[in-house]
Amino acid sequence: MLKQIMASFSLIAIALATFSISAIAQESLLEEGMVIELVAGDLMCYATLVDDDGKEYSIGAKFEICDDRDFYLDQRVRLTYEEVNVNDCESSEPCGKTRKEQVISEMEVIE
């Protein structure tokens, strides 16, 4: 009986942990915000945005976003993301290691 209770408890804990992780992943992607900075880095463009509550986000973006820096700065935007492979080396030089990361692929200026 105790084994059945412990097994049930373990399954419930696993289900809750899975739900929590997926909820965090969904909540962590900013959908809309004000662009306050765009900086071209070695691996990608780095966008700094502020949400409606004043919380600041630093998010990777495609280089094309930084190319249009003057257009997006100080604008409220809606974000679209794309999963890409990013160099996962200690320097900007290729080492053969990559990681998947969600980056901003498009910014749509909104009123």
Side-chain angles (χ1 to χ4, degrees), residues 26-41 43-51 55-63 65-66 77-82 84 86 99 101-107:
Q26 288 175 351
E27 288 179 354
S28 63
L29 293 178
L30 181 66
E31 294 179 15
E32 294 181 0
M34 177 73 69
V35 179
I36 59 172
E37 184 176 44
L38 292 170
V39 177
L43 302 177
M44 67 183 79
C45 174
Y46 296 95
T48 305
L49 297 100
V50 176
D51 69 10
K55 183 177 176 185
E56 194 171 291
Y57 294 78
S58 293
I59 308 169
K62 289 189 163 189
F63 282 111
I65 301 291
C66 276
V77 295
R78 180 172 294 116
L79 305 172
T80 302
Y81 294 88
E82 181 179 326
V84 298
V86 177
R99 69 179 186 279
E101 189 169 318
Q102 293 284 338
V103 299
I104 300 168
S105 57
E106 293 179 38
M107 286 186 179

Side-chain angles (χ1 to χ4, degrees), residues 42-44 46 85-101:
D42 290 339
L43 302 177
M44 67 183 79
Y46 296 95
N85 288 320
V86 177
N87 187 2
D88 195 21
C89 304
E90 292 184 24
S91 72
S92 61
E93 297 298 319
C95 69
K97 294 190 316 186
T98 60
R99 69 179 186 279
K100 293 203 180 286
E101 189 169 318

Side-chain angles (χ1 to χ4, degrees), residues 38 65-75:
L38 292 170
I65 301 291
C66 276
D67 290 344
D68 293 327
R69 178 182 184 275
D70 293 335
F71 179 74
Y72 292 119
L73 276 180
D74 300 319
Q75 298 292 320

